[in-house]
Amino acid sequence: MEVFKDAVDYLETQHIPVEAVGGTGPDPLEEDVFPEEEVFSPLQTDSMDLPDTPVLRTLEDMLDRRLMVLRTILDSEKIYLNELETLLMPMKALKATAGTSQPVLSGQQVQIVFYQVPELRDLHRDFYSGLRDRLVPLGPQTHPETDPGPGPGKEQGQMGFHLTVGDLFLKIVSQLGVYRGFIDNYESAVKIVRSCTQTDQRFRILAESMMSCNGSDKSKTKYTFEALLYKPLDRVTKTTLVLHDLLKHTPQMHSDHHVLQEALRLSRSFLSGVNEGSQCKQEVTLSRGMRRQLMRDGFVVDVCEGGRNLCHLFLYTDLLLCTKLKGGAQGKQAQYRFCWYLPLAGLKLHWGPEMERTTDTYQRIHSMRAKMYLLRHELRQTMKPVPQKSLAARTIERGRKKMEQLERMFLTHSPFLPLELHSPSAKSHTLVMSSLYELEEWREAIHRLTGDNIETVPPDLLTLTSSCVKLRMTQQPPVHSILPEGEEESLCGTLSVAVHSACGLQQPASMYVCVEVDGFEFYERQAQTHSSVSSSSPHWDQEFSFQVDGAQNLRVLVVLEPEVGESCEDRVLGKTSIQLDPALLQKRWKRQTVSLGQVVVTLSLKYCPHPLDPPSLAPAQQQPIFCMPIGAVAQQEGVLVPHVVRCCVEEVERRGMEEVGIYRLSAATSDIINLKTAFNTNLREAVSRLRCVDVNAVSGILKLYFRELPEPLIPTELFQSFTKALDIPDLSARSVSMLSLLQSCPAVNQNTFLFLLHHLKRVSDRQDVNKMPLMNLATVFGPSLLRPPVAVLGQSSPPVDISQEVVVQVQVVYSYLQCDNLPAAQTCIPHDTETTEED
């Protein structure tokens, strides 16, 4: 489309004279070299950022707001003219020195630096004068919010109805070719300015201290030469912005409405002709030769003063820009509003602990999941071609909009993994995400750019924000529950993942493995193992089951925990994504090894396809584990040693081995009560809390668990047998008898007892520091692990006094702790698997 000819033809039909466009070279509308930063966006200047208002109800209100917009435009034009005048101020002096023996700039350089700037000044001077002359007769600005009544405001509204300005805007749109010439020349001009700034002190003094008036208040702003050269690039999009806002507040019956529509069409056609594949669309020249380029973008939740906002985050080579996406629905232009930005220079990242979720939050999230599931099921039932304007089509469209609203709410309230950003300027922001894999990708991307980055000139944030409309790589928030594509290649059913072990560590370390599954958000998709004891080849043998719908990828991360006493945070050692192919997964376990950088993890996968039940409106209540038979707890968790025992033992070994009086000293009762509640309601939250509380509270909750078992870990019916075994004088024969008795215990009791015994022996190995030898540990745990039978009315039992009972309880545990040939404990049920090597 020849936009310029269209504009000229239309102007001639309206009897509006058209001035010839100055400049040399090709037709300014033929080439596509328009920088991306000049893409239309409704966020441009503070003066144009009008507040959101409800639908206008009266013609007078609409006309009043139209006048407000026009006066704001007039003020903005005056500031821009002052900036152009300031830019042109040194042109005569530079031209004069060009013919001397020591020129600052050559004549050709002066022509390049100021190319088309006088024409731009003249173009906007005429526009400003014409608009001012038409607005002055209407008198000073009034605000309908403060002066809503009749009288002068009403008269002004009636005069405003007859005010026409469309011809002025149509004329300036027709001359956008002047800007095209400037844009084509811009990089050459900036190159000269930078070169001279570095080599000529006279020009540097000039280029770094140019003052321009800010409008009617006579205040002045200090600019650099380069910043002023950048103003026309910013200004060219304001024409479209102005037309958009003005048309919005112009009544349809107004004589300007049709003219403004045509001007807006021509302006948008000019912008749509931009070559979107040009590299300069993602790059803006910064100081010292740096190039600003968009590296990554995505949707995150910004936590500010307790509130949550779904924001679009843009990572450039020198800064982070946070914006809020508005609009973008069908038939509407996507809009961005600036939220905040942080320079990457000196930026510190902190991966904080997972935020706690209240009961109300859990219920709200599960309620949204259930509603999303049901709504998607209804939409799938109607996924067939229907007439575009039929009732069924309108019903489907309403359902899609409702689904989009639900998912946006879910995306806003479900993330709880915080990434804290701390700038040297004392500005801090917290982003929360729902995926550790995504969080680590952001952290890695930011970390790669924060090395030697030095920002010397603040960015033009308004222009940078306006570029987001076309620069974004993530087109929309990940609202995908209504998309049917690729479902035949995804998983729907139960995916089981067993994390076995890891190897490849250079030195012993404490770590855990996180597992994430993608797909629709209807069910829980994340899990993590407990922390391993410091080891170069940790073992977990922990199994997880996921209800998956639309899953295509499994993400695995290995996270290193800091050593005791270190102030650093958890660190991701490696991560990988495994593609889930339904054709290759089986209903039996399939073992494979995956490489995550230097660490190699062995895991097993099993997939059972089946229809899924709808998620409940209320979160599924976890079965309590305290005061419950240990066999029932282990069966529920699919293990041989309950998670509460393993988690507490591993946490004590991580940071309590040198704690004086560990297992003997008590902790705050409130800490232990809170931990008990957490283990009874949410294992994941309990594991997080273990890492934060006093280590004596960790040892205290472990003792409490054994103490509150309805049946002791060592069955009561074996008490008398243990008493007799203790009377065997030969130590070797006694050991054989004791081990035989232990083998007669149920598998869960036996392996849990062995797991605890090996732990207590490791604690005793540090008795020179923690002052807890084997006898002290046996004294603490004996009464909890072994109990005498309770006398039943009417039944005779051998009389045993209480002091003797305690002696037996302590001696049994002490005897086992002295054994050198204790068998190893199995923590999980062995998996019958095939072995497959995969990297």
Side-chain angles (χ1 to χ4, degrees), residues 40-297:
F40 160 69
S41 171
L43 180 91
Q44 294 292 340
T45 63
D46 292 338
S47 61
M48 292 301 302
D49 191 11
L50 296 176
D52 290 332
T53 58
V55 177
L56 299 174
R57 298 179 179 177
T58 65
L59 180 62
E60 288 78 7
D61 287 340
M62 202 168 191
L63 292 173
D64 282 341
R65 293 193 178 276
R66 169 179 154 90
L67 288 176
M68 290 173 59
V69 172
L70 286 172
R71 289 194 171 96
T72 304
I73 294 169
L74 190 67
D75 293 339
S76 177
E77 281 291 314
K78 185 173 183 180
I79 294 173
Y80 179 50
L81 276 174
N82 289 333
E83 291 168 345
L84 291 177
E85 292 287 0
T86 304
L87 179 60
L88 288 170
M89 195 175 299
M91 185 174 67
K92 289 184 179 180
L94 291 172
K95 279 185 176 181
T97 62
T100 64
S101 59
Q102 293 183 335
V104 178
L105 296 177
S106 67
Q108 183 180 3
Q109 287 177 325
V110 173
Q111 184 178 0
I112 293 174
V113 169
F114 295 99
Y115 181 70
Q116 294 289 63
V117 177
E119 288 81 2
L120 292 176
R121 187 263 321 270
D122 295 341
L123 174 66
H124 282 271
R125 179 186 289 168
D126 292 343
F127 175 77
Y128 173 77
S129 300
L131 185 60
R132 181 193 58 194
D133 293 343
R134 299 188 190 187
L135 288 177
V136 167
L138 297 179
Q141 180 177 351
T142 60
H143 297 274
E145 293 85 350
T146 58
D147 185 18
K154 184 175 181 180
E155 295 176 2
Q156 187 187 44
Q158 292 174 348
M159 293 175 63
F161 187 82
H162 300 289
L163 171 68
T164 58
V165 293
D167 57 316
L168 298 177
F169 287 96
L170 197 57
K171 181 178 179 180
I172 198 170
V173 166
S174 70
Q175 301 184 57
L176 284 177
V178 180
Y179 274 98
R180 176 40 75 58
F182 178 88
I183 292 166
D184 291 344
N185 179 73
Y186 172 73
E187 289 195 6
S188 299
V190 170
K191 186 176 180 180
I192 293 173
V193 170
R194 287 181 181 167
S195 176
C196 292
T197 301
Q198 294 174 359
T199 58
D200 193 309
Q201 184 179 4
R202 296 170 298 170
F203 188 82
R204 182 167 61 251
I205 295 173
L206 168 69
E208 294 180 353
S209 57
M210 303 181 74
M211 307 295 292
S212 175
C213 292
N214 279 340
S216 58
D217 58 358
K218 303 300 182 182
S219 62
K220 292 190 175 183
T221 301
K222 184 177 180 181
Y223 293 93
T224 63
F225 202 115
E226 185 177 345
L228 288 173
L229 267 180
Y230 197 64
K231 290 299 178 180
L233 295 184
D234 180 26
R235 194 67 186 183
V236 69
T237 59
K238 287 184 172 62
T239 303
T240 308
L241 167 65
V242 163
L243 288 167
H244 179 272
D245 282 348
L246 188 57
L247 185 61
K248 181 173 64 175
H249 298 293
T250 300
Q252 290 189 359
M253 69 286 295
H254 197 287
S255 58
D256 261 353
H257 193 274
H258 176 69
V259 182
L260 292 175
Q261 273 187 327
E262 180 64 16
L264 181 59
R265 184 187 69 81
L266 293 173
S267 179
R268 284 178 172 172
S269 297
F270 178 81
L271 295 179
S272 66
V274 172
N275 180 5
E276 297 184 5
S278 175
Q279 181 65 20
C280 67
K281 289 182 181 58
Q282 291 192 13
E283 296 183 355
V284 177
T285 304
L286 302 175
S287 58
R288 298 189 181 181
M290 292 191 300
R291 304 287 292 177
R292 175 176 297 138
Q293 185 175 356
L294 179 65
M295 308 301 292
R296 177 186 176 89
D297 75 317

Side-chain angles (χ1 to χ4, degrees), residues 3 29 64 137 146 171 185 255 304 314 347 350 368 441 449 485 503 516 589 614 668 683 698 745 752 764 784 824:
V3 180
L29 293 178
D64 282 341
T146 58
K171 181 178 179 180
N185 179 73
S255 58
C304 181
F314 291 84
L347 187 65
H350 175 62
M368 283 191 284
E441 285 187 325
L449 298 171
E485 292 82 359
C503 60
E516 298 178 349
W589 290 101
L683 178 62
V698 179
C745 296
T752 302
S764 179
S784 299

